[in-house]
Amino acid sequence: MKINPDCIRDILIHIENFEYDSMHTIEQMCSDMTNYSYEELDYHCVHLYEAGFIKATTVNIRGGHLPKISRVYDLTYQGHQFLEDIRPDNIWSKTKDSAKKIGSFSINTLSVIATEVITSLIQKNLGV
């Protein structure tokens, strides 16, 4: 399965809206995020967990090759920072366009590009 950057962003926005000190399963997220399958949400949550962007618990199912998300709790500090960087539609659009030109939609690449887009906008706004 390929990384879907829009799914990554939608998951982060969804998790940010969790009530404090709650936990959610992928099944619960599926009922709220009907435009994505269970497999897509689990796959992308595993990668967000591995990247250090979400707080979750994983389980390894016997015979399975990848861990599965058992529960999702919250965004990490790094996850909040990344979401704040990609939340504005104009920044997100420029980030995805750049990632497409580069040919990489990895979470790390998206994060670096978003930071650069914001830096460029800050410099432009400050007249630097």
Side-chain angles (χ1 to χ4, degrees):
M1 184 176 291
K2 291 183 179 181
I3 294 287
N4 176 343
D6 290 316
C7 184
I8 296 275
R9 182 176 182 241
D10 290 344
I11 287 170
L12 293 174
I13 290 169
H14 184 73
I15 293 172
E16 180 186 49
N17 290 313
F18 286 177
E19 287 187 31
Y20 178 71
D21 203 25
S22 66
M23 61 182 169
H24 298 260
T25 63
I26 299 298
E27 288 87 359
Q28 289 170 308
M29 291 175 65
C30 271
S31 67
D32 296 332
M33 302 175 70
T34 57
N35 48 331
Y36 300 109
S37 69
Y38 175 92
E39 291 78 17
E40 286 175 297
L41 291 174
D42 186 61
Y43 181 81
H44 287 82
C45 282
V46 166
H47 287 289
L48 286 166
Y49 173 76
E50 290 173 341
F53 288 169
I54 66 171
K55 296 176 184 176
T57 54
T58 61
V59 294
N60 288 316
I61 297 173
R62 188 176 296 196
H65 300 288
L66 294 174
K68 299 285 184 191
I69 295 292
S70 172
R71 300 273 190 268
V72 177
Y73 301 98
D74 199 357
L75 300 178
T76 63
Y77 177 78
Q78 185 178 356
H80 279 287
Q81 293 301 109
F82 180 54
L83 178 56
E84 286 304 311
D85 287 349
I86 64 171
R87 182 189 313 277
D89 290 335
N90 64 323
I91 293 172
W92 183 235
S93 177
K94 290 177 183 181
T95 299
K96 288 194 309 180
D97 288 346
S98 292
K100 186 175 183 177
K101 289 176 188 172
I102 293 168
S104 175
F105 286 99
S106 74
I107 296 170
N108 184 54
T109 299
L110 292 169
S111 180
V112 169
I113 293 170
T115 300
E116 290 300 317
V117 168
I118 291 168
T119 300
S120 175
L121 289 171
I122 290 170
Q123 290 172 343
K124 184 178 177 181
N125 189 25
L126 295 175
V128 178

